[in-house]
Structures are given as structure tokens and as C-alpha cells.
């Protein structure tokens, strides 16, 4: 594995020891970034099931200003830190060890907002759409944010989700990738401020 393009092009990336993670291949990574970029003029990225950190690091290499990496496995966290050091992006990154759902609550408290989100949960988990909706309701997504959902190709996520525009789905062997754009949630209509009389 390596950084495919951008300022850190060609830098090798470590894999997570053991068989617990499934890193995105360079071929799929290249395809993802050709769909969503391929380059960026700033912005913030979230790599929620970071694994090796390969997707978040690729986005930093291609112009994203800052990336947050989250994983609950200690070996993954060690690998992400090593890969950030090797690519020189440590000062533009934060790495947290946490479970995805809890991490979103922490990010909301810290008032983070993202322009780009990578969601590559373990294939046994089918909650990518629920996590997207939670990010939207917690205010973690800027309008126009792109979300990259990676999953097993024999599974299908809904294309219609409130607040999201499905842009594309592509399959690469046993891996499928869906790209969504966040268009904003419907706001509750504000009252006029008039008091409602009590009965």
C-alpha cells in the first residue's frame, strides 16, 4: 500500500498487523478519488473506521487541510500514527481511539464539521446509512459534504436518504463504493414567537 497521488505520492503505508482489517486497495482508492476529487482546496475530512488511515492520508496528500482518524482497535491507532509520521501529516491530523457511535458524540461536543467523510465499517456491520443520518442530525456535515461509503458488493444501501443525494455506486470485485452528497436537513418551521394560549 502507498499514497497514490498528491504531495506524498509514492510514500509506502504500513498495514495493520493481523487479519482484522481490510485496507482499501490502491486500485479502489484511485477510483474513489477520481470520483470525488481528485484534488481538494482545503476542508476537513473524517476517516471513521480508519484501519491503516489510508483514505484520510490520501485526502491530506490531495489537498484536504485537516483529517480526523477514528478506530477502536489499538493496533489500528498505532498504524495510523506511524503512517501519519511517515507521510509528514501528523501536524494536520488528530487520531482518536473510540467506537464510531461514541466518537460522533465527542465530535459534536467539540463542534467539528466535515467536508469529506470516509465510512468503511467492517463488512459484518450494515449501519453505514444510520451513521450518515446521525452525522447529519448532530450537525457534523457541512452542506455539500461528500460521503464515501465502502461495503460488501452483495449488500445494497438505500439510494434515497433524507438530506443526502446519491451520486454514484461502483463495484470492484467484492467491494462496492457509494458516493453521497449532503444537501442539508429539513429544519423544523420556526414559530412566530406568539404565545399559545393555555386552555
Amino acid at each position: 500500500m502507498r499514497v497514490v497521488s498528491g504531495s506524498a505520492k509514492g510514500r509506502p503505508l504500513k498495514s495493520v498487523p493481523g487479519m482484522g482489517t481490510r485496507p482499501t486497495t490502491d486500485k479502489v482508492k484511485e477510483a474513489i478519488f477520481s470520483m470525488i476529487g481528485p484534488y481538494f482546496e482545503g476542508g476537513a475530512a473524517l476517516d471513521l473506521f480508519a484501519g491503516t488511515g489510508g483514505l484520510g492520508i490520501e485526502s491530506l496528500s490531495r489537498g484536504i487541510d485537516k483529517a480526523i482518524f477514528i478506530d477502536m482497535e489499538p493496533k489500528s491507532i498505532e498504524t495510523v500514527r506511524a503512517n501519519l509520521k511517515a507521510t509528514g501529516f501528523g501536524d494536520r491530523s488528530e487520531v482518536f481511539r473510540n467506537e464510531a457511535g461514541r466518537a460522533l458524540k465527542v465530535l459534536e461536543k467539540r463542534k467539528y464539521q466535515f467536508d469529506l467523510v470516509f465510512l468503511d465499517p467492517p463488512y459484518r456491520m450494515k449501519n453505514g446509512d444510520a451513521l450518515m443520518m446521525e452525522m447529519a442530525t448532530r450537525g457534523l456535515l457541512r452542506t455539500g459534504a461528500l460521503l464515501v461509503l465502502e461495503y460488501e458488493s452483495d449488500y445494497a444501501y438505500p439510494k434515497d436518504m433524507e438530506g443526502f443525494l446519491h451520486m454514484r455506486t461502483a463495484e470492484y470485485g467484492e467491494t462496492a463504493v457509494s458516493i453521497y452528497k449532503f444537501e442539508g436537513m429539513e429544519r423544523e418551521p420556526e414559530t412566530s414567537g406568539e404565545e399559545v394560549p393555555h386552555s
Side-chain angles (χ1 to χ4, degrees):
M1 286 197 331
R2 63 192 173 89
V3 179
V4 177
S5 190
S7 63
K9 180 178 179 178
R11 297 276 177 89
L13 299 173
K14 287 185 178 179
S15 296
V16 179
M19 300 296 288
T21 59
R22 186 192 67 258
T24 304
T25 65
D26 287 351
K27 177 188 166 189
V28 174
K29 209 189 307 184
E30 181 109 60
I32 287 171
F33 281 90
S34 70
M35 288 190 275
I36 63 171
Y39 300 100
F40 308 95
E41 293 180 7
L46 172 63
D47 197 343
L48 190 56
F49 296 86
T52 65
L55 289 169
I57 287 170
E58 188 73 33
S59 72
L60 288 166
S61 182
R62 293 170 184 251
I64 283 284
D65 284 330
K66 183 172 183 176
I68 306 296
F69 297 84
I70 292 165
D71 205 290
M72 61 182 301
E73 295 299 328
K75 285 181 180 177
S76 288
I77 294 298
E78 282 175 32
T79 303
V80 171
R81 289 191 194 282
N83 285 333
L84 286 168
K85 189 174 180 182
T87 50
F89 294 136
D91 60 340
R92 291 163 53 195
S93 309
E94 289 185 71
V95 184
F96 300 110
R97 184 181 168 222
N98 211 334
E99 181 272 327
R102 283 201 293 271
L104 296 184
K105 294 174 187 171
V106 174
L107 294 171
E108 179 188 20
K109 278 182 186 168
R110 295 187 181 193
K111 297 189 166 29
Y112 280 98
Q113 283 195 308
F114 298 100
D115 306 281
L116 179 60
V117 176
F118 299 104
L119 281 166
D120 185 11
Y123 280 173
R124 69 180 182 279
M125 294 169 67
K126 312 292 187 193
N127 64 340
D129 49 349
L131 287 168
M132 287 170 57
M133 291 303 298
E134 187 175 350
M135 282 182 226
T137 56
R138 289 187 182 281
L140 294 172
L141 303 174
R142 288 199 180 99
T143 302
L146 293 175
L147 294 93
V148 178
L149 181 57
E150 197 173 326
Y151 53 97
E152 207 167 12
S153 55
D154 62 1
Y155 185 75
Y157 275 104
K159 291 186 176 176
D160 292 322
M161 283 190 269
E162 184 195 347
F164 294 92
L165 173 68
H166 173 261
M167 299 186 72
R168 188 166 171 188
T169 293
E171 291 187 11
Y172 309 92
E174 65 175 26
T175 299
V177 175
S178 287
I179 312 291
Y180 295 86
K181 185 176 185 178
F182 180 61
E183 298 196 308
M185 302 296 282
E186 288 289 324
R187 292 272 180 254
E188 290 290 319
E190 291 188 20
T191 60
S192 63
E194 292 174 13
E195 295 255 344
V196 178
H198 294 288
S199 55

